[in-house]
Each structure stands twice: as C-alpha cells, then as structure tokens.
Amino acid sequence: MSSVKKITIGALCVALCAVLPTAFHAVGLGTAFSPMHLPVLLCGIVCGPLYGLLCGILGPVIAHLITGMPPAARMIYFIPELLTYGAVTGLIYQHVHTGKLLPDLYLALVPAMVLGRVVGGVAQGLFYLASAQDWSVAMWASAYFVSTVPGIILDLIAIPALVTVLERARLIPRRYPQQKSEA
C-alpha cells in the first residue's frame, strides 16, 4: 500500500478517535465500549505499526483538543495504552502469516489488547501513586478488563468485519489474494 494511502487511512482513523467516542458517549455507551480503541487497532492492522503508534498518540490528543475528551489527566495513561494497541497490533500482524485472514487478525488483536491494557494499567498506577491517590490491581483489573468487556467483544467482532469489507471493496490489498476474504 502506498504511503499516501496509509497517511489517508491513518488520518481517517485519527479523526474517528474524536468522532466515535462523541457518538458513543451521546447515547451513554462510551465507557463500556471504549470506542477510541477501534480506530487505533484498525490503523495498526491496516497501515502498520508506525501508523498505529501515531494514531494511538494523535487520536486522543486531537480528540481532547476538539471535544475536551478524554480529560487531560487521563491522557497520561490513555496514550501509552493506545499507542501500544496500534504499534503491537501492526507489528504482530506484519509478522504472523497463518494462511488465513481471521487467525492472523486474532493473533494480532488479542495480545495487543492485553498488552495495551497492561501498559495502560502500569501508567495509571504510576500516575495515581505519584499523586498519592488510591490505586490497586483490583481497580486496574476492573477498569481495564471487567467493565470494558463490551468493548473487547466489539473490537474482536468489528475489526475482522471491517478488514474483510475493506479488502472486498479493494480499499486495502487482500492479505491472501488467492483466497476469498473471510468473516
């Protein structure tokens, strides 16, 4: 894929980092569905680790500047989480080739989603401990895994579907040109 196409898709994903949370929060589903994760993970898969990392940084910064969300204090631990999602998803997806699209996607998504949550939790823990606020591993697990189960499910369903649609529409190259897209 050309650099121009990657930049365009990356910019669209950054813009979606502002638009999707605004839409989800408007109907009261923002926290549970973690809508900013979706475009960052998608950017890493479609454009690669560098663009995914940049989307993970620029997405929340631009969203904050436009909408005021996420709050500035949250960005200290939100950005490390998101940049990890984008970079790790893109990196793993570049190197995993099972011969089938869906296994490749899940082998990239699941570890990136776990690692991103761990990195976000460590950054959050350091932030709370440095500011002498209460923080515990139980609080982290609840905030990053338990309360975000709907978002985890959304990401694991929507991203393979979106990648398949983008491939079929020839907006991105087919991963395995000899096979029909799955999902």
Side-chain angles (χ1 to χ4, degrees), residues 37 46 136 149:
H37 296 183
V46 172
S136 69
V149 167

Side-chain angles (χ1 to χ4, degrees), residues 107-158:
L107 287 170
L109 286 169
V110 172
M113 291 168 71
V114 171
L115 187 58
R117 282 170 165 78
V118 169
V119 168
V122 168
Q124 183 185 49
L126 292 172
F127 170 75
Y128 280 117
L129 293 174
S131 61
Q133 295 181 34
D134 287 338
W135 185 87
S136 69
V137 172
M139 288 171 59
W140 164 73
S142 176
Y144 280 85
F145 290 96
V146 178
S147 64
T148 61
V149 167
I152 293 168
I153 293 168
L154 173 67
D155 292 340
L156 293 174
I157 292 171

Side-chain angles (χ1 to χ4, degrees), residues 28-174:
L29 299 174
T31 303
F33 282 98
S34 307
M36 200 176 290
H37 296 183
L38 189 63
V40 174
L41 290 164
L42 184 64
C43 187
I45 295 251
V46 172
C47 300
L50 176 61
Y51 290 90
L53 180 140
L54 290 172
C55 183
I57 295 168
L58 295 175
V61 169
I62 290 174
H64 174 76
L65 293 173
I66 294 171
T67 68
M69 295 295 288
R74 262 192 88 205
M75 301 234 310
I76 293 168
Y77 47 90
F78 201 52
I79 289 174
E81 175 187 3
L82 290 175
L83 72 83
T84 301
Y85 288 154
V88 172
T89 302
L91 192 62
I92 293 173
Y93 193 67
Q94 277 185 346
H95 294 287
V96 169
H97 295 280
T98 65
K100 299 236 182 225
L101 179 62
L102 286 178
D104 288 0
L105 288 168
Y106 287 119
L107 287 170
L109 286 169
V110 172
M113 291 168 71
V114 171
L115 187 58
R117 282 170 165 78
V118 169
V119 168
V122 168
Q124 183 185 49
L126 292 172
F127 170 75
Y128 280 117
L129 293 174
S131 61
Q133 295 181 34
D134 287 338
W135 185 87
S136 69
V137 172
M139 288 171 59
W140 164 73
S142 176
Y144 280 85
F145 290 96
V146 178
S147 64
T148 61
V149 167
I152 293 168
I153 293 168
L154 173 67
D155 292 340
L156 293 174
I157 292 171
I159 291 175
L162 288 167
V163 170
T164 301
V165 166
L166 292 170
E167 279 191 359
R168 286 184 182 162
R170 296 189 177 131
L171 294 172
I172 62 171
R174 285 189 184 261

